[in-house]
Amino acid sequence: MNSNKYSWWGSPRKITNVIRDRKISWLELFSDLVFIIAIHYLISGLSEEINLINFVRFILIFLLVFDIWNTFAIYFDLHGNTSIRTTSFTLLMVLGVALLSSSILSFYKDNYFPFIIIYMLIAVLIFYLWIRVVYFDPAHMLTTRPYLIQLVFQFIFLIFVLVSKGTFLQTLLLLPVVISKGSSLITEHRNFDIEFKNRKIPFEVSSSLQERYGTFTMIILGESMATLVENLNGHYVLNSVMEFILLSINVIGIFWLYYALIDTVHVKGHNYIKLALFRGTHVSFLLVLSLETFFLVNLFEVDKLWLRSGFMASLFATISLIFILKRFSKTTLQQNRNFFIGAGGFLVLFLFVSFRPLVLLTISDLYMIYLVIRRERASYLQGIALAK
């Protein structure tokens, strides 16, 4: 191929061209911001009409939208650069996700057509990007070919969704699309092992990709705070202010635990399966965090036992997954003990589910504060030990 042909436009970076200690760029930060809109409509759409089918839609929409973010995050981490090409396609993705976000509320109202059409257009863009990757780096075809085949398979199912009648059947047909996306990295891990070993690519999750996961976590927590502020607006009475403070402590507690524990995680292994499991666990964490956000912002709006139980279950899952993510790095006895304290503590907290939301939230906030204090004390003692 003639490299001069692409000199001004740029070409994908080869996977073997690893940039050590790369920091996320302004372009990546800007592209992440558009997902705030998607998370907002995702939560507000479910809040408008709470039922079982909308819970299923919530999970499907989240996983489909997150897959777009995850694909571009991994693409940028492995093949991105500062070229006009990378910038143009990233901004095109931003435009696509903005349009996709505008169709989420229609999706909740049984109109799948706009969402699926826009999603398919983004899928075509993704397919093109990965085709061009193997054009410039043919040796990468080993791990890219199965992914491209799955994209075609998913595209066919999306066409079936469009031509099918009835939202139940359409929802059912979306399940194979989501399942195949979630299983692709796990099922193809042996191919990754072969390519990475042959091409001497390190088995590790880059610090820049971990920062991107942290940014998405911040997006969800930011949406929590924005919704809490919106609910408080104009209701400056003692009960409303107290509810706002207690709910905010919950958000701050999750923020504190996540960044205190995950900030020091460095995922490195001898094969690809550990990297795939770390990403999968992070997807699960972000999904349950989004669900916890929904339950949190509706805790005082819908006084139902099932909602309080959902809040406690999602909060328990969120904190447990934070400790599990921490264990992908070097594990210590203190971290193991913290995990079981977290699990045991929430079993006790479930006894309070039948109480009023104010009592339930106060107890869960106190427990969150307890976990944060334990974490900071352990960090302080570790610092003293290292200084000696």
Side-chain angles (χ1 to χ4, degrees):
M1 72 187 70
N2 183 7
S3 60
N4 293 329
K5 178 181 175 182
Y6 303 97
S7 59
W8 70 273
W9 175 241
S11 58
R13 175 165 50 91
K14 285 189 175 184
I15 193 171
T16 51
N17 183 13
V18 179
I19 302 175
R20 292 289 181 183
D21 301 321
R22 186 182 74 86
K23 299 296 182 182
I24 56 177
S25 65
W26 292 109
L27 178 62
E28 291 170 277
L29 288 172
F30 176 73
S31 66
D32 286 343
L33 292 178
V34 73
F35 289 89
I36 296 173
I37 309 169
I39 296 297
H40 172 74
Y41 283 125
L42 182 69
I43 294 171
S44 61
L46 179 57
S47 300
E48 286 181 11
E49 188 174 352
I50 305 172
N51 53 48
L52 181 59
I53 186 63
N54 277 349
F55 267 106
V56 174
R57 288 168 176 161
F58 179 100
I59 294 172
L60 289 174
I61 295 170
F62 176 88
L63 292 175
L64 289 171
V65 171
F66 180 81
D67 181 70
I68 297 172
W69 177 89
N70 195 46
T71 299
F72 273 89
I74 292 174
Y75 175 85
F76 205 109
D77 191 59
L78 298 178
H79 308 291
N81 47 40
T82 58
S83 67
I84 298 175
R85 180 184 186 278
T86 297
T87 303
S88 299
F89 283 122
T90 302
L91 295 177
L92 191 59
M93 180 274 293
V94 169
L95 179 61
V97 172
L99 289 170
L100 189 71
S101 301
S102 69
S103 67
I104 289 177
L105 293 182
S106 297
F107 192 96
Y108 276 117
K109 296 175 182 177
D110 300 337
N111 183 10
Y112 289 15
F113 188 83
F115 183 92
I116 298 300
I117 285 292
I118 299 169
Y119 191 88
M120 290 172 71
L121 292 173
I122 297 173
V124 170
L125 173 62
I126 291 171
F127 187 87
Y128 170 78
L129 287 175
W130 287 105
I131 281 287
R132 299 302 286 174
V133 164
V134 296
Y135 174 78
F136 287 98
D137 186 9
H140 196 31
M141 178 59 82
L142 176 66
T143 51
T144 306
R145 182 189 292 110
Y147 178 72
L148 293 173
I149 293 172
Q150 286 191 344
L151 280 177
V152 174
F153 163 81
Q154 294 158 11
F155 200 87
I156 293 171
F157 265 85
L158 290 173
I159 293 174
F160 286 148
V161 173
L162 287 177
V163 300
S164 299
K165 302 295 182 182
T167 55
F168 177 78
L169 180 58
Q170 288 178 313
T171 305
L172 204 61
L173 287 170
L174 279 174
L175 291 178
V177 177
V178 171
I179 292 171
S180 66
K181 288 181 179 297
S183 62
S184 59
L185 289 178
I186 299 294
T187 56
E188 295 301 324
H189 71 91
R190 288 186 177 85
N191 285 337
F192 281 99
D193 287 347
I194 294 170
E195 180 175 347
F196 276 43
K197 288 176 181 177
N198 289 342
R199 306 184 73 182
K200 295 180 173 54
I201 302 169
F203 290 102
E204 62 180 330
V205 177
S206 67
S207 58
S208 56
L209 187 58
Q210 287 187 215
E211 286 178 19
R212 294 292 296 276
Y213 282 118
T215 302
F216 204 95
T217 302
M218 198 180 301
I219 287 171
I220 299 173
L221 294 175
E223 172 59 24
S224 299
M225 290 302 300
T227 306
L228 294 180
V229 171
E230 185 179 357
N231 291 343
L232 176 65
N233 189 26
H235 300 88
Y236 300 115
V237 295
L238 182 60
N239 282 350
S240 296
V241 173
M242 183 61 67
E243 291 170 4
F244 173 79
I245 292 172
L246 290 173
L247 292 167
S248 298
I249 289 173
N250 181 276
V251 177
I252 293 169
I254 293 174
F255 161 82
W256 199 320
L257 277 177
Y258 177 84
Y259 287 100
L261 290 170
I262 306 302
D263 188 54
T264 57
V265 170
H266 181 209
V267 183
K268 192 172 183 178
H270 301 291
N271 52 45
Y272 196 82
I273 191 69
K274 184 176 182 180
L275 279 60
L277 288 174
F278 176 78
R279 291 171 182 168
T281 305
H282 234 123
V283 175
S284 302
F285 163 72
L286 293 168
L287 174 59
V288 297
L289 179 61
S290 299
L291 283 168
E292 197 270 345
T293 297
F294 160 75
F295 287 117
L296 180 75
V297 299
N298 287 283
L299 195 59
F300 290 99
E301 305 295 323
V302 183
D303 187 11
K304 299 287 186 181
L305 178 61
W306 68 265
L307 193 134
R308 295 197 296 274
S309 300
F311 167 71
M312 288 305 302
S314 58
L315 184 59
F316 165 67
T318 298
I319 293 178
S320 297
L321 285 168
I322 291 175
F323 281 105
I324 291 171
L325 284 168
K326 176 64 177 176
R327 295 184 67 189
F328 276 90
S329 191
K330 181 177 280 189
T331 307
T332 65
L333 178 63
Q334 184 66 37
Q335 290 159 11
N336 287 331
R337 201 163 61 203
N338 276 342
F339 175 77
F340 289 112
I341 288 172
F346 267 93
L347 289 176
V348 174
L349 285 179
F350 263 109
L351 299 175
F352 296 94
V353 164
S354 59
F355 281 76
R356 302 291 294 175
L358 191 65
V359 176
L360 175 65
L361 191 60
T362 302
I363 294 170
S364 62
D365 280 353
L366 288 173
Y367 191 72
M368 290 283 290
I369 293 171
Y370 165 74
L371 287 178
V372 168
I373 291 174
R374 279 187 61 87
R375 161 59 196 165
E376 292 305 314
R377 180 176 178 274
S379 179
Y380 172 74
L381 293 175
Q382 186 180 20
I384 292 177
L386 291 173
K388 290 182 179 179

